[in-house]
Amino acid sequence: MTDHLRDAVRAFVNDFVRPHVAEWERDGAYPMELHRRAGEAGLLALGHSPERLPEDPAALAVLVEQLTLGGSQGITMGLASHFVSLKAVQGGDPQVAARVIPSVLKGERSIVLALTEPQAGSDLRAFQCRADFIDGEYRLTGDKAFICNGTRADWLLVGALLEGKLELFLVDGDAAGSRGTRQACLGWRCLPLADLRFERTVARRLTQGNGVGRLLQQCLQQERLNLAVMAMASAELALRAAIEHCRGRQVGGEALLDKSVIRQRLAERHSELSLVRVYVEQAVRWQAAGELSAAQVAIAKNTAVDVLERIAHDAVQVHGAHGCVEPSVVERIYRDARLLGIGGGAREVMLEIIGRTL
């Protein structure tokens, strides 16, 4: 099953992604039409029926890995992060889930998770966005920050306080009282980033009381595992590019790869990546078996991102000036790498999770 999906994602990337990445990065957005194409190809449902959310961590890891090897983390975030949002939708109102999940998996509509707030980051205990029940409707007031595709998604899954308790709400992307401000970002340049402001915006309540925090933690765990896989794939892509460049680049009459200092540095990075790949792949198996702990996924994310940053640094270094200008793939990976160390919980947050298990 995963081999068939891997081939399908590779074909999709070769036909519809890789030829356009540089253009989309320059323009600041990939076309939303890409969701429809991916849905029609069965990728958004991981090759399963789009009528229900698939529980297939191995297939999801394949999707994330192969999209990332296409050269753009922004595309991966755009086409694979819906599993995090839909997992939360599935844990809420069954009627809403029955309508939203198939529509997203078919590529007909898009959904994004709007949790992060300017003053709180993703700290669920510090949220200020609130919901009020007014004239028979729930209305949201407050701010969300750093929301990928926040100004062009069909649905926003929003976390807000209702009478002091955290709840989840579904908001139409074009709802009255909602406005977005585009933000320029260091990386993921083909994935528009926005701050959102809600002013008495009508929303559909999805959850009822207890368990919301636990549900969101489960969603964040999947997001962190996705980011670990993404970091691993980006590191592999950067290392490949560095080795290929060093084979062809002549300095002092010999290839860079024939110089022992360069060859040994790349060998060290290859060794580090090989070890990380083993742990991340094991984390995916733990997730499939329902055995992945918060500490294990934190270890996977931190170690994968750390190796990515070292490889991205060295890849740019061995490319020299060629690695510092667009549309160099190593230049793009170097920028994107910083976002992986922050998204889904910063490195320091991951260390605290790990530290509590000591």
Side-chain angles (χ1 to χ4, degrees), residues 184-261:
C185 188
L186 171 69
W188 299 354
R189 291 183 179 173
C190 66
L191 181 66
L193 190 72
D195 290 348
L196 304 177
R197 173 66 181 171
F198 301 110
E199 295 180 355
R200 296 167 62 88
T201 305
V202 174
R204 174 72 179 265
R205 183 180 178 182
L206 299 183
T207 53
Q208 300 287 334
N210 296 330
V212 177
R214 184 167 56 254
L215 174 62
L216 288 178
Q217 288 299 335
Q218 293 172 357
C219 296
L220 286 172
Q221 179 155 301
Q222 182 62 67
E223 180 182 23
R224 289 163 183 165
L225 184 57
N226 290 352
L227 294 175
V229 173
M230 194 186 306
M232 181 185 68
S234 281
E236 179 179 337
L237 186 62
L239 186 59
R240 285 182 195 171
I243 293 170
E244 181 179 356
H245 177 80
C246 290
R247 281 201 180 106
R249 176 69 168 169
Q250 296 284 317
V251 176
E254 63 178 351
L256 269 180
L257 196 60
D258 290 334
K259 296 183 179 296
S260 61
V261 65

Side-chain angles (χ1 to χ4, degrees), residues 21-72:
V21 167
E23 175 189 354
W24 295 340
E25 287 272 314
R26 185 178 62 250
D27 293 346
Y30 69 87
M32 292 300 283
E33 169 72 6
L34 204 61
H35 289 261
R36 182 188 63 79
R37 289 185 180 276
E40 290 177 348
L43 306 187
L44 301 185
L46 305 178
H48 296 277
S49 167
E51 297 304 320
R52 56 183 300 180
L53 186 64
E55 294 288 343
D56 194 340
L60 178 53
V62 166
L63 177 66
V64 170
E65 178 186 41
Q66 293 303 315
L67 287 175
T68 305
L69 290 174
S72 170

